Amino acid sequence: MKRTEQREWVFKLIYEDSINKISDVDKVLENHDIAGEDFIRASINSYNENYESIEKTLEDALNKRYNRLSRVEKAILFLSLNEMTYMDIPVSVSINEAVELAKTYSDNNDYQMINSVLGKIVRS
């Protein structure tokens, strides 16, 4: 599976987690037939371990706007921040992939907001 496809799965799992907390990562990966994908496992485990820190970063960057983000937008931002901060994925790669996910899964111009927020966080 290509990294872009793996990243899309991570996004979907983060979104799923926002609706119904994932308590058993192994079981969820098996249910989706992606148990052999090490990047997905590492990314979800990193997301779970660093959730509070990532959320604080987003809340600080967005202030009151944080609570108005959709679950899709939050999932994309969490994915990208986790990659950039805790998984040593290059910033440009992570932001580009986040923008592409936003173009596919969110409203018309949400990708611009995703790009702007991630850029602001990286610069600070």
Side-chain angles (χ1 to χ4, degrees):
M1 184 180 298
K2 292 181 182 179
R3 183 59 53 95
T4 300
E5 294 171 279
Q6 292 174 329
R7 192 172 276 112
E8 188 171 0
W9 268 108
V10 174
F11 156 72
K12 290 175 182 178
L13 293 171
I14 291 173
Y15 179 80
E16 180 180 331
D17 184 69
S18 74
I19 295 168
N20 187 18
K21 192 73 178 156
I22 296 173
S23 57
D24 186 349
V25 172
D26 292 330
K27 184 176 181 179
V28 170
L29 294 178
E30 286 177 28
N31 288 344
H32 290 296
D33 199 28
I34 52 175
E37 300 294 338
D38 293 335
F39 175 80
I40 296 172
R41 181 183 313 281
S43 189
I44 290 299
N45 286 333
S46 177
Y47 158 78
N48 284 333
E49 291 169 15
N50 300 297
Y51 177 87
E52 290 160 3
S53 176
I54 298 167
E55 184 174 49
K56 172 111 175 69
T57 300
L58 281 173
E59 287 174 341
D60 290 347
L62 292 168
N63 299 316
K64 295 176 183 177
R65 287 180 36 212
Y66 177 78
N67 292 326
R68 292 188 296 223
L69 292 176
S70 71
R71 285 188 170 139
V72 169
E73 294 165 333
K74 284 182 183 178
I76 293 168
L77 290 167
F78 271 86
L79 165 67
S80 187
L81 285 174
N82 181 59
E83 286 184 348
M84 290 186 294
T85 309
Y86 301 104
M87 297 186 66
D88 297 326
I89 303 293
V91 170
S92 59
V93 171
S94 188
I95 291 176
N96 184 54
E97 292 287 336
V99 167
E100 291 305 315
L101 283 169
K103 286 178 180 178
T104 302
Y105 290 99
S106 13
D107 291 336
N108 294 337
N109 295 321
D110 287 346
Y111 72 92
Q112 294 170 332
M113 182 276 300
I114 298 283
N115 189 39
S116 174
V117 168
L118 292 172
K120 176 183 176 183
I121 291 170
V122 167
R123 285 188 298 276
S124 62

